[in-house]
Amino acid sequence: MSQGKKENLNPYELLTQYYEENFTPFTKGNYYSGIAFSLTNSNLENSSKGFDKVISGNDRSTSITFKGGYFLKDYIMTGMNMELGRDEFGGNIDVSGDTVNRQTMRKFLAFSPVIKSYVPLTKNNRLSFFTEIGLGAKFSHSLSEDISNLDVYTRKYGKDFTFSAGLGAGVTFFALENFAIEVMLKNLVGYELKISKQRLNNVDYSKKTTHNVNFDINLLSLKVGVAYFIQPKKK
């Protein structure tokens, strides 16, 4: 488009025109970078958390994910995600009829190579559906403290390693030139292997290995982020 024609367009027309002329974000040779956030905060009362019955408490989880990728072919991208997160719980639980005050904190670091496939929902590629297949390795450390009857004090240290394989899905919407908003549901279908090691009061040691296969549409696993698609200039 000539410079003269651009000057006669309003900001909305300029933005719309950008997606009508040579906009190819999912083309072979393009690069992808992104960041996603997740935050859940639940107030629990007379409900279950794992194998525990919560009388009252607060459960909070936060995470940030850094993403990078490269398009091996049109609409197919391979990449790597790195996630940092923190889980916290504080409240009173019922243990064999006794009320126990529990404070728990867990930090984790996860790496996940992924393959991402895009399906445009509009002719100009501005709105697209995608699926993401990934493998994951997560490392976490946790500390849990229980106080019962104000005089019985228990402290648990934990280390976990988790291997996972899963399928996620979401949508991408380009809001401003090559910048896009991504909304994704993670691990709709997946497998998980978890190895947990725990020390009780720095004395007793235990180890547990669990396997889990799931099919779950959980809105609490929703991740919202922003992405930038880099289109190298062709020679």
Side-chain angles (χ1 to χ4, degrees):
M1 179 181 291
S2 66
Q3 185 63 31
K5 288 184 178 180
K6 285 186 177 181
E7 291 177 354
N8 294 327
L9 297 178
N10 61 44
Y12 175 78
E13 290 172 331
L14 277 171
L15 182 60
T16 304
Q17 192 67 37
Y18 180 87
Y19 299 104
E20 304 299 334
E21 297 183 354
N22 300 319
F23 181 64
T24 55
F26 309 124
T27 302
K28 177 181 177 180
N30 288 358
Y31 295 90
Y32 164 95
S33 62
I35 186 170
F37 306 91
S38 178
L39 170 64
T40 61
N41 189 77
S42 303
N43 291 315
L44 308 177
E45 186 174 347
N46 295 323
S47 58
S48 298
K49 176 177 170 62
F51 295 104
D52 298 320
K53 180 180 179 182
V54 179
I55 300 172
S56 64
N58 179 264
D59 195 15
R60 183 172 63 180
S61 177
T62 57
S63 72
I64 180 170
T65 305
F66 301 94
K67 305 179 178 183
Y70 176 78
F71 282 86
L72 296 175
K73 58 186 300 185
D74 292 354
Y75 301 105
I76 303 294
M77 185 200 79
T78 182
M80 175 68 74
N81 298 340
M82 182 183 77
E83 182 179 14
L84 298 167
R86 180 186 179 104
D87 301 327
E88 296 177 280
F89 171 78
N92 296 319
I93 64 172
D94 186 322
V95 179
S96 301
D98 293 331
T99 299
V100 175
N101 180 265
R102 175 168 293 174
Q103 302 293 326
T104 301
M105 185 272 292
R106 183 175 74 102
K107 295 180 179 180
F108 64 85
L109 170 65
F111 299 94
S112 178
V114 299
I115 296 177
K116 210 166 183 178
S117 175
Y118 290 86
V119 178
L121 300 178
T122 57
K123 186 177 179 180
N124 60 5
N125 292 318
R126 196 171 184 186
L127 178 65
S128 299
F129 172 80
F130 69 83
T131 58
E132 182 179 283
I133 299 174
L135 302 175
K138 179 188 288 187
F139 307 87
S140 65
H141 296 264
S142 63
L143 171 63
S144 179
E145 297 179 341
D146 290 353
I147 300 177
S148 177
N149 299 324
L150 300 180
D151 56 359
V152 180
Y153 183 84
T154 303
R155 174 174 289 181
K156 298 177 183 178
Y157 300 90
K159 287 185 178 181
D160 297 337
F161 168 75
T162 305
F163 169 80
S164 61
L167 170 68
V171 293
T172 297
F173 174 73
F174 286 90
L176 180 61
E177 297 188 350
N178 284 18
F179 284 96
I181 298 172
E182 288 192 338
V183 180
M184 176 182 175
L185 282 172
K186 190 177 180 182
N187 292 337
L188 297 176
V189 180
Y191 164 77
E192 183 179 276
L193 165 67
K194 185 175 182 179
I195 301 174
S196 302
K197 298 179 181 179
Q198 191 175 89
R199 295 198 320 271
L200 177 62
N201 292 334
N202 253 342
V203 178
D204 296 330
Y205 171 84
S206 64
K207 179 179 178 180
K208 181 172 68 173
T209 300
T210 57
H211 301 265
N212 184 39
V213 177
N214 66 72
F215 174 77
D216 186 22
I217 299 178
N218 182 4
L219 294 181
L220 294 180
S221 69
L222 191 72
K223 288 182 176 290
V224 179
V226 294
Y228 184 72
F229 291 75
I230 305 169
Q231 303 180 68
K233 292 183 178 180
K234 296 183 180 179
K235 298 181 180 179

